[in-house]
Amino acid sequence: MEDYKSYIGGEWKAAKSGADFEVRNPFDNSLLCKVADCNAEDLKEAIDHASKAHASWKKSTPRERSALLRKIGDLMMRDQDKLAKVLTLENGKPLGEAKGEVGFGATFFHWFAEESRRAYGETIPSPAPGVSFTTVQEPLGVAAMITPWNFPIGMPARKISAALAAGCSCVVKPAEDTPLSTLELMKLIEEAGAPTGLVNIVPCSRNSVKEVGDAMCADPRVAVISFTGSTEVGKYLYAKCADTVKRVALELGGNAPFIIFDSADVDAAVSGLITSKFRNTGQTCVTANRILIQAGIYDRILDNILPKIKAMKIGNGMESGVEQGPLINERQQARVKRIVDESLNAGAKLVLGGKVLDNGFEPTVLTDVQRGMACWEEEIFGPVLSIMKFTEESEAVDHANDCDRGLAAFFYSKDPGQIHRVSSALESGMVGANHVGISMPESPFGGYKTSGIGKEGSKHGLAEYSNIKLVVQNFN
């Protein structure tokens, strides 16, 4: 695979320092390529170009923005297989999942191609005769984006498409483990005819992350920072943006409860749980983390789910039929192992799995889980089911809400009254009732509590990159 440069001001450039960093395949740790290791000086140049591009892009018509976004989405679908292979090589997820992620990313360009033409203002009934009150939406300015490794093309696509639709320019720092998918996406943005400097990609190594992130927060020309990642890093960025009073959009960590009530359809609940828990080897922010199963259906659920987990094919995501790929790196592997070991030492029961693999972690089931255990309190980000038995509905809701994070929550029930009560009671920005597919371009994605600020996708995603201006006109 060829080495990659940054993309700044319409040119592919080496880092000003001449440094680069390695990107490795998480399955076998083989070297894929080297990538330009940018620093604050490179970032400043990118912001220079983005500022100039914004000056003209903000004057573009919705139709012009729509045409560019539509073309980018179309090019992503044209190159879906190629992009999926790059994604699997650097991230490890099964090729079918990677292909799905590319399609997912394309839907955001297609969605915001249409939504850019619906950035409506409003007419407000006037409190005074002869005076009109109207509002218009205007682009914020330069949007800086820090994207995660678990969806290395889906998340940049979701952010970039919304920002461009609103009339903003972009400076993107992809995750150091998985920068290649974003750089491949940039090739398509360039091919689609994006104006010079409109989108800039500034990759960097782990050693340079803090320098680049701090520079993004400090530069007054950056109007908004959009970050997807851990709650801890999100809090840090939030504080760093205070001096320049930037808009922040933070999609942070989750610790999703997954409740199965006695009234649930067993087959549907098991299918939903496996899909939610084991997609991307459990490395998603909305994955089912804390599993609550009502006593009357508990044994049936376990009897149904354990054979399906045992049958999962583990291996190289590039191989046909593989359902569980590697964890992203050794740090994540060690973290999952620690969480499992600490939970077992605290009294959890190991029913299945629990072993470290050469390149990941065995799908694992823990039962007899209690509050306070590591597997219950921490976001695992790995293929571990942490199961607690409960008796009453109120007990399940109490357990589910006993968490400082509220990104997503799921439950299965066929009781209409229960569906209404539980949906209302769960303290989460997104609730899936008998359904786990909650992330679509049409729907607002975002959480409560320390799971973040703002929404991505839907009309609300466009608003994250827009200012509302009030115009009051006197006709007297």
Side-chain angles (χ1 to χ4, degrees), residues 278-475:
F278 295 104
R279 182 168 62 107
N280 198 20
T281 321
Q283 298 174 117
T284 82
C285 56
V286 296
T287 190
N289 208 55
R290 297 173 292 149
I291 317 306
L292 293 145
I293 306 176
Q294 199 159 12
I297 204 172
Y298 184 88
D299 291 337
R300 288 178 63 195
I301 294 294
L302 257 62
D303 288 344
N304 274 266
I305 202 167
L306 291 177
K308 292 178 171 61
I309 297 173
K310 290 178 182 178
M312 287 180 175
K313 184 177 179 181
I314 306 167
N316 186 345
M318 298 294 286
E319 295 179 4
S320 177
V322 167
E323 299 167 273
Q324 292 291 285
L327 295 180
I328 188 64
N329 53 41
E330 292 181 355
R331 295 187 313 283
Q332 185 61 19
Q333 184 184 52
R335 182 175 181 276
V336 174
K337 175 63 174 170
R338 174 189 60 77
I339 290 173
V340 170
D341 288 347
E342 288 181 4
S343 301
L344 293 175
N345 290 336
K349 179 182 177 182
L350 180 65
V351 177
L352 187 69
K355 296 179 182 177
V356 174
L357 304 176
D358 289 340
N359 47 30
F361 203 84
E362 193 175 15
T364 298
V365 177
L366 302 177
T367 60
D368 296 350
V369 171
Q370 300 295 325
R371 286 182 179 180
M373 292 181 178
C375 64
W376 196 259
E377 303 298 333
E378 298 186 43
E379 184 180 16
I380 300 171
F381 242 61
V384 179
L385 278 175
S386 306
I387 300 176
M388 180 187 290
K389 185 188 294 187
F390 73 92
T391 304
E392 302 295 332
E393 177 185 307
S394 59
E395 178 188 1
V397 171
D398 178 59
H399 285 314
N401 288 339
D402 183 32
C403 181
D404 68 347
R405 303 181 185 189
L407 185 57
F410 308 93
F411 71 94
Y412 276 72
S413 168
K414 292 192 293 184
D415 180 340
Q418 186 172 60
I419 291 172
H420 175 73
R421 289 191 305 273
V422 175
S423 295
S424 299
L426 289 171
E427 297 170 355
S428 180
M430 298 174 287
V431 176
N434 300 314
H435 194 67
V436 297
I438 59 174
S439 181
M440 299 291 174
E442 297 84 354
S443 59
F445 190 99
Y448 288 179
K449 303 179 181 178
T450 63
S451 284
I453 299 171
K455 300 291 184 180
E456 294 191 312
S458 79
K459 67 177 183 180
H460 302 288
L462 190 67
E464 293 297 327
Y465 298 95
S466 303
N467 274 322
I468 296 176
K469 176 183 282 184
L470 172 66
V471 179
V472 180
Q473 185 172 355
N474 188 341
F475 292 94

Side-chain angles (χ1 to χ4, degrees), residues 91-417:
N91 171 274
K93 68 178 60 178
L95 192 58
E97 284 191 32
K99 188 174 180 179
E101 183 182 335
V102 176
F104 172 77
T107 65
F108 281 94
F109 281 102
H110 288 153
W111 166 262
F112 282 111
E114 299 302 317
E115 203 63 17
S116 66
R117 303 176 72 172
R118 292 190 280 269
Y120 300 132
E122 59 183 343
T123 300
I124 301 169
S126 177
V131 179
S132 69
F133 288 71
T134 59
T135 66
V136 292
Q137 289 193 52
E138 295 185 336
L140 279 174
V142 177
M145 301 162 180
I146 303 174
T147 59
W149 51 260
N150 57 340
F151 291 95
I153 202 165
M155 294 303 97
R158 188 158 73 181
K159 295 177 188 297
I160 293 170
S161 58
L164 297 185
C168 296
S169 57
C170 305
V171 176
V172 185
K173 190 211 80 65
E176 57 271 19
D177 286 303
T178 57
L180 310 184
S181 296
T182 307
L183 291 164
E184 287 292 333
L185 173 60
M186 187 64 242
K187 292 179 182 179
L188 301 184
I189 295 172
E190 182 181 44
E191 182 181 345
T196 299
L198 185 63
V199 181
N200 306 268
I201 312 296
V202 185
C204 69
S205 68
R206 187 164 286 105
N207 292 333
S208 304
V209 164
K210 185 177 184 300
E211 176 186 346
V212 171
D214 286 352
M216 280 184 172
C217 296
D219 197 311
R221 296 171 299 171
V222 173
V224 56
I225 286 186
S226 178
F227 169 74
T228 297
S230 72
T231 294
E232 293 71 25
V233 174
K235 289 179 178 179
Y236 176 84
L237 294 171
Y238 194 14
K240 295 293 287 188
C241 287
D243 285 344
T244 51
V245 197
K246 292 191 197 314
R247 179 86 63 88
V248 292
L250 305 174
E251 196 273 281
L252 307 179
N255 193 358
F258 193 107
I259 309 169
I260 304 176
F261 290 103
D262 285 344
S263 64
D265 179 315
V266 171
D267 290 340
V270 168
S271 176
L273 179 54
I274 288 177
T275 298
S276 177
K277 176 72 258 185
F278 295 104
R279 182 168 62 107
N280 198 20
T281 321
Q283 298 174 117
T284 82
C285 56
V286 296
T287 190
N289 208 55
R290 297 173 292 149
I291 317 306
L292 293 145
I293 306 176
Q294 199 159 12
I297 204 172
Y298 184 88
D299 291 337
R300 288 178 63 195
I301 294 294
L302 257 62
D303 288 344
N304 274 266
I305 202 167
L306 291 177
K308 292 178 171 61
I309 297 173
K310 290 178 182 178
M312 287 180 175
K313 184 177 179 181
I314 306 167
N316 186 345
M318 298 294 286
E319 295 179 4
S320 177
V322 167
E323 299 167 273
Q324 292 291 285
L327 295 180
I328 188 64
N329 53 41
E330 292 181 355
R331 295 187 313 283
Q332 185 61 19
Q333 184 184 52
R335 182 175 181 276
V336 174
K337 175 63 174 170
R338 174 189 60 77
I339 290 173
V340 170
D341 288 347
E342 288 181 4
S343 301
L344 293 175
N345 290 336
K349 179 182 177 182
L350 180 65
V351 177
L352 187 69
K355 296 179 182 177
V356 174
L357 304 176
D358 289 340
N359 47 30
F361 203 84
E362 193 175 15
T364 298
V365 177
L366 302 177
T367 60
D368 296 350
V369 171
Q370 300 295 325
R371 286 182 179 180
M373 292 181 178
C375 64
W376 196 259
E377 303 298 333
E378 298 186 43
E379 184 180 16
I380 300 171
F381 242 61
V384 179
L385 278 175
S386 306
I387 300 176
M388 180 187 290
K389 185 188 294 187
F390 73 92
T391 304
E392 302 295 332
E393 177 185 307
S394 59
E395 178 188 1
V397 171
D398 178 59
H399 285 314
N401 288 339
D402 183 32
C403 181
D404 68 347
R405 303 181 185 189
L407 185 57
F410 308 93
F411 71 94
Y412 276 72
S413 168
K414 292 192 293 184
D415 180 340

